[in-house]
Amino acid sequence: AEMAFLNARLRLDKAGGIPNLSLAGGGQHFAETGDIAAVAGLSLTLPVFDRNQGAILAARYRLAQGEELQRAAEIRVKTELYRSYQTLAAAREEVLTLRRTGLPAAERAVEAAGEGYRHGKWGFLEVLDAQRTLYEIQIHYADALTEFHKALADTERLIGQRLDTVEPQP
């Protein structure tokens, strides 16, 4: 919208440097003689000293500045998208690793510690330590899921659509 406005402003300033032709016409009644006359007029401004070049140049500079600001905004969004996607990919890998290996291993350790305690191999502190480790991994897993969903929402915000509806690019 800003670029359309700047282009329109440039066209307006260019139009300001073109001479305006004015036509006028009408009738006039002369009271002393009772005559009626048709009156016509033609007016043309000659831009000898002011062809609006200053305003045109300023509009061109504003347009160039707008184009540069647009490019900078595109780069900023692409950089933010790249960072968001990298965060999303890292969080996804962490979630998958915890789900595939971390949680099952901690659950097996709790089961083994409980079984060992029941058979007298280990003390109650070993069971509590295994449970504490499982709870810490579960908390870490929940944090990783939170990070993943935040990064997913951020990435979808930047691309303007759900990520699962995007066609894969080669």
Side-chain angles (χ1 to χ4, degrees), residues 146-167:
T146 301
E147 183 67 25
F148 171 78
H149 286 287
K150 283 181 182 177
L152 179 64
D154 194 42
T155 302
E156 289 176 342
R157 174 186 61 85
L158 289 167
I159 63 173
Q161 62 185 11
R162 290 177 46 115
L163 200 55
D164 58 1
T165 63
V166 176
E167 290 293 323

Side-chain angles (χ1 to χ4, degrees), residues 16-34:
I18 298 173
N20 290 329
L21 178 63
S22 299
L23 295 173
Q28 186 169 4
H29 178 264
F30 296 99
E32 299 90 33
T33 61

Side-chain angles (χ1 to χ4, degrees), residues 8-75:
R9 181 62 192 242
L10 177 60
R11 287 192 308 274
L12 178 67
D13 287 337
K14 282 182 179 179
I18 298 173
N20 290 329
L21 178 63
S22 299
L23 295 173
Q28 186 169 4
H29 178 264
F30 296 99
E32 299 90 33
T33 61
D35 292 335
I36 296 176
V39 179
L42 175 68
S43 168
L44 178 66
T45 56
L46 297 175
V48 176
F49 297 107
D50 181 19
R51 293 179 303 170
N52 211 24
Q53 294 301 309
I56 293 171
L57 185 61
R60 284 187 176 140
Y61 283 140
R62 283 191 301 269
L63 183 61
Q65 180 185 23
E67 290 169 351
E68 291 303 316
L69 288 172
Q70 184 177 13
R71 277 192 282 279
E74 287 172 0
I75 290 170

Side-chain angles (χ1 to χ4, degrees), residues 128-159:
L128 290 177
D129 189 43
Q131 287 177 343
R132 180 181 51 81
T133 301
L134 173 62
Y135 296 146
E136 286 174 357
I137 291 175
Q138 287 172 335
I139 290 170
H140 187 68
Y141 178 70
D143 290 342
L145 272 175
T146 301
E147 183 67 25
F148 171 78
H149 286 287
K150 283 181 182 177
L152 179 64
D154 194 42
T155 302
E156 289 176 342
R157 174 186 61 85
L158 289 167
I159 63 173

